[in-house]
Amino acid sequence: MKSVVLGLSIAVLATACATTTSPTGRSQRVGAVSQEQLNLMGAQAFAQAKAKTPQSSNPTQTAYVRCVVSAITRQLPSAWQTNWETALFADKSPNAFALPGGKVGVNTGIFTVAKNQDQLAAVIAHEIGHVVSRHHDERVTRQMGAQAGLGILGAIVGSAYGQGAANTTSQLGGMAAQGIFLLPNNRTQETEADVVGQQLMANAGFDPQQAVNLWENMISASGGSGSPQFLSTHPDPRARISELRNRAGALMPAYQQARASGRTPNCG
Ligand SMILES: [Zn+2]
C-alpha cells in the first residue's frame, strides 16, 4: 500500500513542476509544492520569527510600517491581494523580509538606513518583489529537486490527498526552519526584485529615486560598525545603485501619474 501511495505521489510531483515566466520575462521552474503549501511555509516561518524576536511596542512606528506595506500591496495584481500581515521587530540590525502567504517582517534597525517613507518603501517593495516573482517557489522547487528524499516528497504530496496532514505541516515547517526561505537569493532574483519592487513603489506613489538613496545609506552604514545584515543577503550594492538610478529615470512618468491619481501616501 505504501509503495503505491509513494508511486502516485512521485507521479503527481513530476507533473506538478512547471516552467513559467517571471514578471521580467525570465523562464523559471516552480510548482514543486502548491501555492497553498508555500503560504503555509510562509506562515510557519513568520510564526517562528515572532516567537523568536519581540515586536516593537512603539505604535507610531508600527503604524508607519503598516501604512507603507498597505500602500504597496494595494498595487499588486489581484492574485496577490491577500490580507498582508506586518510585524515590526525590536531588532537593531537593519533587515526586512517578506514571505508567501502575505507576511512582511521589518526590524526597527531598518530606520537607521531607510530614513524616510520612500526609502522604507524601497526596502519593503523589494522584499515583496521576491514574493510576487515567486522566488520562494523557485528555491523550494530547486531544493526539492536537488536533495529531498522520496519520503519527504511522498509526505508533502500525500497531503494533497488528505493523508498525513500533520506530518506534512511539520515537514513544511522544517523546510521553513532550515532557512530555505531565508537563504540569500541569487543575483538574477535580486535584480528581478529590484525591478519589480521599484516599479511597485512608483505605482504606489513613492519616489523611485529614493531606492538609490537607500542603498547609498546601506553602504555608509556598512562602513561603520560592521556590515548590515541586509547586505549579507543583498550583496553588491554599488552595482545595483547605478541600475536603480537608470530605472528610476524611466519610472518617473509612472510615479508622477500615481501622484496625479491621488496615490500620495503620507505614512510619516
Ligand atoms: Zn532581495
Side-chain angles (χ1 to χ4, degrees):
M1 181 58 197
K2 193 171 182 188
S3 65
V4 172
V5 171
L6 200 58
L8 251 179
S9 301
I10 292 162
V12 168
L13 187 87
T15 55
C17 285
T19 303
T20 60
T21 305
S22 79
T24 61
R26 178 173 63 84
S27 172
Q28 57 180 178
R29 240 179 109 60
V30 294
V33 297
S34 68
Q35 187 61 49
E36 197 178 31
Q37 288 165 323
L38 277 173
N39 293 350
L40 177 62
M41 293 169 77
Q44 291 223 348
F46 201 61
Q48 284 163 3
K50 288 195 287 190
K52 200 173 104 187
T53 311
Q55 291 183 59
S56 166
S57 55
N58 183 323
T60 307
Q61 285 186 340
T62 304
Y64 170 44
V65 173
R66 285 210 180 114
C67 173
V68 171
V69 169
S70 143
I72 289 166
T73 53
R74 270 200 296 273
Q75 299 310 312
L76 293 174
S78 56
W80 298 100
Q81 294 274 355
T82 59
N83 191 14
W84 286 75
E85 182 186 355
T86 304
L88 177 61
F89 293 107
D91 184 324
K92 280 193 240 174
S93 63
N95 205 12
F97 63 88
L99 295 167
K103 312 293 181 193
V104 176
V106 175
N107 288 356
T108 50
I110 206 73
F111 302 132
T112 60
V113 289
K115 297 184 179 180
N116 56 43
Q117 66 166 12
D118 303 272
Q119 293 175 14
L120 181 60
V123 175
I124 291 171
H126 171 95
E127 293 305 318
I128 289 174
H130 280 303
V131 175
V132 300
S133 304
R134 307 184 72 178
H135 293 166
H136 299 82
D137 194 339
E138 263 187 310
R139 202 172 316 152
V140 169
T141 300
R142 193 185 320 125
Q143 189 80 9
M144 288 178 70
Q147 60 150 239
L150 293 180
I152 293 175
L153 301 191
I156 289 172
V157 182
S159 80
Y161 297 94
Q163 296 166 2
N167 197 18
T168 300
T169 302
S170 77
Q171 293 282 11
L172 293 173
M175 286 177 83
Q178 284 160 30
I180 290 168
F181 272 17
L182 306 173
L183 288 173
N185 292 283
N186 62 38
R187 189 68 182 92
T188 303
Q189 291 173 325
E190 281 307 321
T191 302
E192 190 160 73
D194 278 349
V195 171
V196 171
Q198 204 174 14
Q199 174 85 59
L200 264 178
M201 69 183 288
N203 291 350
F206 294 108
D207 181 357
Q209 304 193 77
Q210 288 291 320
V212 173
N213 303 69
L214 168 81
W215 285 100
E216 284 170 345
N217 293 346
M218 288 273 188
I219 291 176
S220 301
S222 71
S225 53
S227 175
Q229 193 186 344
F230 195 78
L231 283 186
S232 67
T233 51
H234 294 82
D236 212 0
R238 287 182 198 283
R240 64 205 312 167
I241 280 178
S242 62
E243 294 170 12
L244 286 163
R245 184 177 283 120
N246 290 339
R247 283 193 298 265
L251 285 170
M252 287 317 274
Y255 167 57
Q256 279 148 6
Q257 199 200 326
R259 303 289 295 183
S261 309
R263 276 167 272 153
T264 54
N266 186 14
C267 295

XYZ file of all heavy atoms in Angstrom, residues 115-207:
676
model
N 15.533 56.254 5.762
C 15.351 57.447 6.584
C 14.092 58.244 6.262
O 13.832 59.260 6.900
C 16.596 58.325 6.463
C 17.812 57.583 7.017
C 19.081 58.370 7.038
C 20.191 57.509 7.630
N 21.470 58.158 7.696
N 13.332 57.823 5.260
C 12.028 58.444 5.015
C 11.095 57.374 4.444
O 11.518 56.242 4.199
C 12.170 59.655 4.076
C 12.833 59.277 2.757
O 12.523 58.245 2.160
N 13.756 60.116 2.299
N 9.841 57.732 4.221
C 8.873 56.706 3.817
C 9.191 56.128 2.431
O 8.897 54.958 2.161
C 7.448 57.271 3.844
C 7.177 58.369 2.830
C 5.677 58.665 2.665
O 4.860 58.196 3.465
N 5.317 59.430 1.634
N 9.804 56.925 1.562
C 10.131 56.417 0.230
C 11.257 55.377 0.300
O 11.250 54.389 -0.430
C 10.525 57.578 -0.693
C 9.428 58.618 -0.777
O 8.540 58.493 -1.638
O 9.430 59.535 0.061
N 12.218 55.622 1.181
C 13.313 54.655 1.345
C 12.810 53.378 2.021
O 13.220 52.268 1.657
C 14.465 55.284 2.144
C 15.151 56.413 1.365
C 16.212 57.140 2.171
O 16.648 56.672 3.226
N 16.615 58.311 1.686
N 11.898 53.530 2.965
C 11.306 52.345 3.590
C 10.502 51.567 2.548
O 10.542 50.335 2.496
C 10.412 52.744 4.770
C 9.754 51.587 5.523
C 10.795 50.641 6.125
C 8.819 52.116 6.618
N 9.798 52.304 1.696
C 9.023 51.659 0.628
C 9.952 50.892 -0.310
O 9.590 49.816 -0.805
C 8.227 52.707 -0.155
N 11.153 51.425 -0.547
C 12.105 50.738 -1.430
C 12.484 49.373 -0.857
O 12.539 48.375 -1.578
C 13.345 51.600 -1.649
N 12.738 49.322 0.455
C 13.089 48.047 1.099
C 11.916 47.071 1.018
O 12.064 45.919 0.595
C 13.439 48.255 2.596
C 13.686 46.916 3.282
C 14.654 49.148 2.744
N 10.746 47.552 1.426
C 9.583 46.669 1.527
C 9.136 46.202 0.143
O 8.816 45.023 -0.060
C 8.448 47.384 2.292
C 8.856 47.543 3.758
C 7.132 46.622 2.168
C 7.933 48.431 4.581
N 9.147 47.112 -0.824
C 8.721 46.733 -2.179
C 9.692 45.733 -2.791
O 9.298 44.820 -3.513
C 8.604 47.978 -3.067
N 10.973 45.875 -2.487
C 11.962 44.898 -2.963
C 11.648 43.519 -2.381
O 11.643 42.515 -3.105
C 13.376 45.343 -2.564
C 14.436 44.314 -2.816
N 15.193 44.289 -3.970
C 14.836 43.248 -2.079
C 16.016 43.249 -3.918
N 15.824 42.597 -2.785
N 11.390 43.467 -1.080
C 11.111 42.170 -0.438
C 9.820 41.559 -0.980
O 9.755 40.353 -1.237
C 11.037 42.346 1.087
C 12.374 42.713 1.734
C 13.482 41.708 1.397
O 13.200 40.499 1.414
O 14.612 42.126 1.104
N 8.794 42.369 -1.154
C 7.537 41.871 -1.726
C 7.765 41.462 -3.183
O 7.149 40.518 -3.678
C 6.423 42.940 -1.570
C 6.031 43.040 -0.094
C 5.201 42.606 -2.432
C 5.051 44.144 0.240
N 8.688 42.146 -3.846
C 9.061 41.771 -5.213
C 9.560 40.331 -5.293
O 9.266 39.617 -6.252
N 10.292 39.888 -4.274
C 10.737 38.489 -4.242
C 9.535 37.538 -4.183
O 9.523 36.497 -4.833
C 11.616 38.225 -3.009
C 13.044 38.681 -3.145
N 13.867 38.239 -4.151
C 13.792 39.520 -2.376
C 15.076 38.794 -4.001
N 15.054 39.579 -2.947
N 8.531 37.911 -3.398
C 7.363 37.029 -3.221
C 6.564 36.936 -4.522
O 6.286 35.836 -5.004
C 6.457 37.530 -2.067
C 5.187 36.677 -1.980
C 7.207 37.497 -0.744
N 6.232 38.089 -5.095
C 5.346 38.061 -6.269
C 6.088 37.589 -7.524
O 5.459 37.221 -8.513
C 4.657 39.427 -6.514
C 3.812 39.815 -5.298
C 5.654 40.521 -6.847
N 7.420 37.557 -7.466
C 8.191 36.957 -8.564
C 8.411 35.465 -8.323
O 9.155 34.812 -9.054
C 9.544 37.664 -8.713
O 9.383 39.044 -8.913
N 7.787 34.944 -7.280
C 7.798 33.515 -6.954
C 9.200 32.973 -6.696
O 9.522 31.834 -7.044
C 7.104 32.707 -8.067
C 5.707 33.234 -8.390
C 4.973 32.396 -9.413
N 4.549 31.118 -8.849
C 3.858 30.203 -9.509
N 3.500 30.432 -10.765
N 3.509 29.070 -8.947
N 10.034 33.772 -6.079
C 11.405 33.325 -5.810
C 11.450 32.248 -4.727
O 12.320 31.379 -4.758
C 12.281 34.524 -5.409
C 12.488 35.491 -6.539
N 12.990 36.746 -6.379
C 12.234 35.350 -7.872
C 13.051 37.355 -7.561
N 12.590 36.534 -8.474
N 10.522 32.294 -3.761
C 10.473 31.246 -2.730
C 10.083 29.918 -3.376
O 10.651 28.871 -3.070
C 9.486 31.626 -1.633
C 9.846 32.893 -0.906
N 9.534 34.129 -1.413
C 10.508 33.110 0.254
C 9.986 35.063 -0.583
N 10.589 34.474 0.432
N 9.109 30.003 -4.271
C 8.664 28.822 -5.018
C 9.835 28.225 -5.807
O 10.088 27.011 -5.759
C 7.535 29.264 -5.964
C 6.758 28.097 -6.546
O 7.289 26.976 -6.561
O 5.626 28.317 -7.004
N 10.574 29.072 -6.493
C 11.745 28.628 -7.262
C 12.763 27.919 -6.381
O 13.318 26.884 -6.741
C 12.446 29.843 -7.893
C 12.095 30.125 -9.317
C 12.969 31.249 -9.883
O 13.097 32.323 -9.261
O 13.507 31.051 -10.962
N 13.000 28.504 -5.212
C 14.022 27.973 -4.325
C 13.603 26.614 -3.769
O 14.394 25.686 -3.716
C 14.262 28.953 -3.176
C 15.600 28.789 -2.515
C 15.828 29.925 -1.539
N 15.430 31.195 -2.147
C 15.011 32.238 -1.453
N 14.918 32.186 -0.153
N 14.675 33.354 -2.070
N 12.341 26.513 -3.355
C 11.840 25.243 -2.826
C 11.863 24.180 -3.928
O 12.259 23.037 -3.694
C 10.416 25.423 -2.254
C 9.772 24.078 -1.955
C 10.461 26.281 -0.993
N 11.473 24.555 -5.119
C 11.453 23.614 -6.242
C 12.865 23.118 -6.545
O 13.095 21.919 -6.745
C 10.834 24.290 -7.488
O 9.497 24.682 -7.178
C 10.819 23.344 -8.678
N 13.823 24.039 -6.535
C 15.214 23.667 -6.794
C 15.730 22.762 -5.679
O 16.355 21.736 -5.913
C 16.070 24.931 -6.895
C 17.467 24.681 -7.468
C 18.339 25.948 -7.432
N 17.616 27.156 -7.775
C 17.567 28.231 -6.991
N 18.180 28.264 -5.835
N 16.890 29.290 -7.372
N 15.417 23.149 -4.443
C 15.896 22.413 -3.274
C 15.355 20.982 -3.268
O 16.084 20.035 -3.014
C 15.437 23.143 -2.010
C 16.028 22.617 -0.726
C 17.439 23.150 -0.506
O 17.876 24.032 -1.253
N 18.139 22.617 0.457
N 14.097 20.844 -3.570
C 13.484 19.521 -3.543
C 14.043 18.661 -4.656
O 14.293 17.476 -4.480
C 11.966 19.635 -3.652
C 11.356 20.177 -2.370
S 9.578 20.364 -2.489
C 9.100 18.641 -2.530
N 14.267 19.246 -5.815
C 14.849 18.502 -6.920
C 16.251 18.050 -6.584
O 16.668 16.955 -6.929
N 16.975 18.885 -5.868
C 18.379 18.602 -5.601
C 18.586 17.554 -4.520
O 19.446 16.702 -4.631
C 19.087 19.898 -5.207
N 17.810 17.602 -3.457
C 18.216 16.784 -2.324
C 17.092 16.081 -1.572
O 17.374 15.247 -0.721
C 19.000 17.642 -1.331
C 18.212 18.805 -0.773
C 18.672 19.162 0.631
O 17.891 19.137 1.552
N 19.953 19.493 0.780
N 15.857 16.414 -1.831
C 14.817 15.851 -0.972
C 14.688 14.352 -1.188
O 14.780 13.864 -2.307
C 13.487 16.536 -1.261
N 14.494 13.641 -0.109
C 14.293 12.196 -0.197
C 12.871 11.901 -0.630
O 11.981 12.735 -0.525
N 12.677 10.674 -1.117
C 11.347 10.305 -1.575
C 10.341 10.363 -0.433
O 9.178 10.671 -0.638
C 11.371 8.886 -2.166
C 12.181 8.742 -3.452
C 12.124 7.293 -3.929
C 11.654 9.681 -4.526
N 10.793 10.066 0.770
C 9.881 10.095 1.912
C 9.296 11.478 2.108
O 8.103 11.641 2.336
N 10.157 12.492 1.982
C 9.684 13.867 2.163
C 8.707 14.228 1.043
O 7.637 14.759 1.279
C 10.878 14.849 2.178
C 11.722 14.605 3.426
C 10.387 16.281 2.136
C 12.982 15.434 3.489
N 9.089 13.871 -0.159
C 8.200 14.178 -1.288
C 6.861 13.488 -1.089
O 5.813 14.078 -1.275
C 8.826 13.705 -2.609
C 10.180 14.294 -2.981
C 10.519 13.939 -4.425
C 10.183 15.797 -2.805
N 6.924 12.218 -0.727
C 5.695 11.461 -0.527
C 4.829 12.102 0.530
O 3.622 12.233 0.360
N 5.445 12.514 1.610
C 4.678 13.111 2.710
C 4.043 14.417 2.273
O 2.881 14.685 2.557
C 5.591 13.338 3.908
N 4.803 15.219 1.559
C 4.272 16.520 1.163
C 3.157 16.363 0.146
O 2.072 16.916 0.293
C 5.401 17.411 0.587
C 6.328 17.830 1.729
C 4.831 18.628 -0.111
C 7.576 18.533 1.267
N 3.420 15.564 -0.882
C 2.412 15.436 -1.931
C 1.233 14.626 -1.431
O 0.104 14.869 -1.807
C 3.029 14.826 -3.205
C 2.002 14.744 -4.303
C 4.209 15.662 -3.647
N 1.510 13.666 -0.542
C 0.440 12.860 0.025
C -0.646 13.711 0.657
O -1.821 13.365 0.603
N -0.247 14.827 1.206
C -1.227 15.660 1.895
C -2.257 16.229 0.931
O -3.348 16.606 1.323
C -0.536 16.804 2.621
O -0.219 17.829 1.718
N -1.915 16.296 -0.338
C -2.885 16.782 -1.312
C -4.086 15.845 -1.355
O -5.168 16.231 -1.764
C -2.244 16.876 -2.691
N -3.886 14.609 -0.921
C -4.977 13.639 -0.901
C -5.495 13.438 0.507
O -6.136 12.456 0.806
C -4.513 12.310 -1.520
C -4.144 12.486 -2.967
C -2.833 12.732 -3.337
C -5.135 12.460 -3.941
C -2.506 12.949 -4.658
C -4.807 12.672 -5.268
C -3.499 12.914 -5.619
O -3.178 13.132 -6.920
N -5.173 14.343 1.381
C -5.723 14.289 2.723
C -4.985 13.342 3.646
O -5.462 13.046 4.726
N -3.817 12.868 3.245
C -3.076 11.948 4.099
C -1.975 12.685 4.849
O -1.281 13.504 4.273
C -2.433 10.831 3.256
C -3.455 9.955 2.566
C -2.811 9.107 1.484
O -1.605 9.155 1.298
N -3.633 8.350 0.782
N -1.834 12.336 6.094
C -0.701 12.835 6.882
C -0.586 14.345 6.902
O 0.495 14.899 6.756
N -1.698 15.004 7.110
C -1.655 16.469 7.086
C -0.732 17.014 8.168
O 0.033 17.949 7.927
C -3.061 17.028 7.245
N -0.793 16.416 9.344
C 0.044 16.901 10.443
C 1.517 16.688 10.117
O 2.355 17.563 10.316
C -0.319 16.166 11.732
N 1.804 15.516 9.570
C 3.161 15.184 9.171
C 3.675 16.198 8.152
O 4.793 16.702 8.237
C 3.154 13.768 8.573
C 4.549 13.178 8.499
O 5.447 13.656 9.180
N 4.724 12.169 7.673
N 2.830 16.511 7.191
C 3.198 17.459 6.145
C 3.496 18.825 6.743
O 4.462 19.469 6.393
C 2.047 17.592 5.136
O 1.815 16.315 4.586
C 2.400 18.572 4.050
N 2.642 19.212 7.674
C 2.834 20.518 8.296
C 4.213 20.589 8.940
O 4.930 21.573 8.782
C 1.751 20.758 9.364
O 0.487 20.655 8.731
C 1.889 22.125 9.983
N 4.613 19.507 9.615
C 5.917 19.546 10.273
C 7.044 19.516 9.239
O 8.073 20.137 9.417
C 6.035 18.413 11.288
O 6.275 17.201 10.628
N 6.834 18.790 8.148
C 7.853 18.762 7.088
C 8.030 20.159 6.487
O 9.144 20.629 6.290
C 7.442 17.806 5.956
C 7.413 16.340 6.366
C 8.813 15.732 6.415
O 9.805 16.442 6.334
N 8.861 14.421 6.565
N 6.902 20.803 6.186
C 6.981 22.135 5.585
C 7.592 23.110 6.573
O 8.413 23.943 6.220
C 5.587 22.606 5.163
C 4.953 21.827 4.011
C 3.520 22.271 3.801
C 5.752 22.014 2.735
N 7.174 22.964 7.839
C 7.743 23.816 8.874
C 9.242 23.597 8.973
O 10.010 24.528 9.140
N 9.645 22.331 8.808
C 11.063 22.002 8.843
C 11.811 22.686 7.721
O 12.891 23.233 7.923
N 11.211 22.695 6.545
C 11.862 23.363 5.413
C 11.979 24.858 5.674
O 12.980 25.478 5.340
C 11.080 23.108 4.124
C 11.247 21.700 3.598
S 10.250 21.402 2.130
C 11.319 22.100 0.866
N 10.928 25.415 6.290
C 10.987 26.841 6.617
C 12.075 27.076 7.654
O 12.870 28.010 7.548
C 9.630 27.313 7.130
N 12.123 26.161 8.644
C 13.092 26.323 9.737
C 14.516 26.169 9.235
O 15.436 26.801 9.734
C 12.804 25.305 10.831
N 14.708 25.310 8.244
C 16.050 25.129 7.698
C 16.515 26.367 6.938
O 17.634 26.423 6.461
C 16.078 23.921 6.752
C 16.069 22.574 7.474
C 15.607 21.467 6.545
O 15.813 21.544 5.337
N 14.959 20.459 7.090
N 15.641 27.317 6.816
C 16.050 28.584 6.237
C 16.011 28.625 4.722
O 16.614 29.498 4.108
N 15.287 27.683 4.123
C 15.193 27.709 2.663
C 14.602 29.049 2.216
O 15.019 29.638 1.227
C 14.325 26.539 2.165
C 15.076 25.226 2.374
C 13.953 26.705 0.694
C 14.226 23.998 2.189
N 13.654 29.533 3.009
C 13.031 30.818 2.681
C 13.989 31.979 2.888
O 13.825 33.036 2.324
C 11.804 31.041 3.569
C 10.551 30.468 2.996
C 10.579 29.537 1.980
C 9.323 30.871 3.471
C 9.418 29.009 1.446
C 8.152 30.350 2.952
C 8.198 29.410 1.937
N 14.959 31.777 3.765
C 15.775 32.920 4.170
C 17.182 32.867 3.583
O 18.007 33.717 3.849
C 15.838 32.993 5.700
C 14.463 33.007 6.389
C 14.611 32.912 7.902
C 13.671 34.247 6.014
N 17.441 31.851 2.765
C 18.743 31.784 2.096
C 18.896 32.987 1.175
O 17.910 33.528 0.685
C 18.833 30.502 1.256
C 18.969 29.179 2.009
C 18.880 28.021 1.015
C 20.274 29.135 2.773
N 20.130 33.402 0.937
C 20.319 34.519 0.009
C 19.748 34.171 -1.369
O 19.833 33.029 -1.816
C 21.836 34.673 -0.067
C 22.363 34.014 1.149
C 21.394 32.920 1.493
N 19.178 35.159 -1.998
C 18.718 34.977 -3.370
C 19.925 35.034 -4.290
O 20.963 35.574 -3.928
C 17.745 36.095 -3.738
C 16.445 35.994 -2.963
O 15.591 35.169 -3.288
N 16.288 36.803 -1.935
N 19.785 34.492 -5.485
C 20.890 34.654 -6.434
C 20.789 36.026 -7.105
O 19.814 36.760 -6.933
C 20.934 33.495 -7.442
C 19.679 33.407 -8.289
O 19.116 34.448 -8.673
N 19.234 32.205 -8.603
N 21.802 36.359 -7.852
C 21.889 37.706 -8.435
C 20.714 37.993 -9.368
O 20.191 39.102 -9.407
C 23.233 37.849 -9.173
C 23.549 39.253 -9.634
C 23.802 40.194 -8.444
N 24.057 41.569 -8.880
C 23.115 42.506 -9.010
N 21.858 42.231 -8.769
N 23.441 43.737 -9.387
N 20.296 36.969 -10.110
C 19.157 37.138 -11.025
C 17.901 37.506 -10.250
O 17.159 38.415 -10.634
C 18.920 35.819 -11.800
O 20.115 35.484 -12.486
C 17.784 35.958 -12.788
N 17.684 36.791 -9.145
C 16.497 37.082 -8.339
C 16.595 38.459 -7.698
O 15.601 39.179 -7.584
C 16.323 36.005 -7.261
C 15.934 34.639 -7.833
C 15.945 33.550 -6.779
O 16.779 33.570 -5.866
N 15.044 32.597 -6.894
N 17.804 38.830 -7.282
C 17.992 40.150 -6.684
C 17.656 41.263 -7.672
O 16.960 42.218 -7.335
C 19.435 40.301 -6.176
C 19.689 39.620 -4.851
C 18.695 40.053 -3.792
O 18.348 41.241 -3.743
O 18.237 39.198 -3.034
N 18.174 41.125 -8.886
C 17.888 42.136 -9.906
C 16.390 42.194 -10.179
O 15.802 43.274 -10.292
C 18.650 41.809 -11.208
O 20.042 41.753 -10.901
C 18.407 42.862 -12.270
N 15.782 41.004 -10.264
C 14.349 40.967 -10.552
C 13.537 41.641 -9.437
O 12.601 42.394 -9.701
C 13.899 39.520 -10.730
C 12.489 39.378 -11.267
C 12.287 37.997 -11.877
O 12.191 37.013 -11.127
O 12.255 37.905 -13.118
N 13.912 41.373 -8.179
C 13.205 42.004 -7.062
C 13.420 43.517 -7.071
O 12.520 44.284 -6.720
C 13.664 41.404 -5.738
N 14.612 43.948 -7.489
C 14.862 45.393 -7.638
C 13.921 45.998 -8.684
O 13.302 47.037 -8.454
C 16.312 45.652 -8.067
C 17.298 45.634 -6.896
O 16.845 45.621 -5.738
O 18.515 45.635 -7.151
N 13.831 45.328 -9.832
C 12.998 45.842 -10.930
C 11.533 45.881 -10.509
O 10.854 46.906 -10.636
C 13.171 44.964 -12.196
C 12.164 45.333 -13.271
C 14.591 45.079 -12.735
N 11.051 44.748 -10.006
C 9.639 44.646 -9.630
C 9.326 45.592 -8.474
O 8.316 46.297 -8.470
C 9.291 43.180 -9.251
C 7.905 43.072 -8.643
C 9.413 42.281 -10.474
N 10.218 45.646 -7.500
C 9.998 46.490 -6.326
C 9.985 47.967 -6.669
O 9.137 48.717 -6.184
N 10.909 48.383 -7.519
C 10.979 49.808 -7.856
C 9.750 50.240 -8.658
O 9.230 51.340 -8.473
C 12.271 50.090 -8.635
C 12.740 51.535 -8.532
C 14.091 51.744 -9.199
O 14.565 50.886 -9.948
N 14.712 52.870 -8.935
N 9.276 49.343 -9.524
C 8.042 49.625 -10.269
C 6.859 49.735 -9.302
O 6.035 50.642 -9.401
C 7.785 48.500 -11.280
C 6.462 48.600 -12.027
C 6.557 49.489 -13.256
O 7.343 49.235 -14.153
N 5.739 50.558 -13.283
N 6.812 48.810 -8.358
C 5.735 48.811 -7.360
C 5.722 50.109 -6.569
O 4.668 50.700 -6.343
C 5.929 47.649 -6.381
C 5.199 46.337 -6.615
C 5.604 45.343 -5.534
C 3.692 46.548 -6.614
N 6.905 50.544 -6.131
C 6.931 51.748 -5.306
C 6.509 52.971 -6.113
O 5.785 53.830 -5.602
C 8.277 51.935 -4.585
C 9.462 52.261 -5.451
S 11.038 52.374 -4.502
C 10.834 53.919 -3.594
N 6.914 53.013 -7.376
C 6.490 54.129 -8.229
C 4.974 54.121 -8.409
O 4.313 55.157 -8.286
C 7.197 54.056 -9.585
N 4.417 52.941 -8.663
C 2.968 52.827 -8.852
C 2.202 53.220 -7.589
O 1.055 53.660 -7.662
C 2.581 51.389 -9.233
C 3.074 51.013 -10.620
O 3.547 51.864 -11.373
N 2.979 49.738 -10.956
N 2.834 53.008 -6.444
C 2.178 53.320 -5.167
C 2.338 54.794 -4.793
O 1.787 55.246 -3.793
C 2.741 52.435 -4.059
N 3.120 55.538 -5.593
C 3.295 56.959 -5.317
C 4.503 57.274 -4.451
O 4.598 58.364 -3.880
N 5.427 56.316 -4.346
C 6.695 56.572 -3.647
C 7.764 56.892 -4.684
O 7.805 56.270 -5.762
C 7.127 55.346 -2.836
C 6.207 55.011 -1.687
C 5.380 53.893 -1.738
C 6.167 55.815 -0.547
C 4.529 53.577 -0.679
C 5.319 55.501 0.520
C 4.499 54.382 0.444
N 8.649 57.816 -4.348
C 9.665 58.291 -5.291
C 10.700 57.186 -5.577
O 11.473 56.821 -4.690
C 10.356 59.522 -4.682
C 11.420 60.099 -5.614
O 11.650 59.518 -6.700
O 12.017 61.128 -5.236
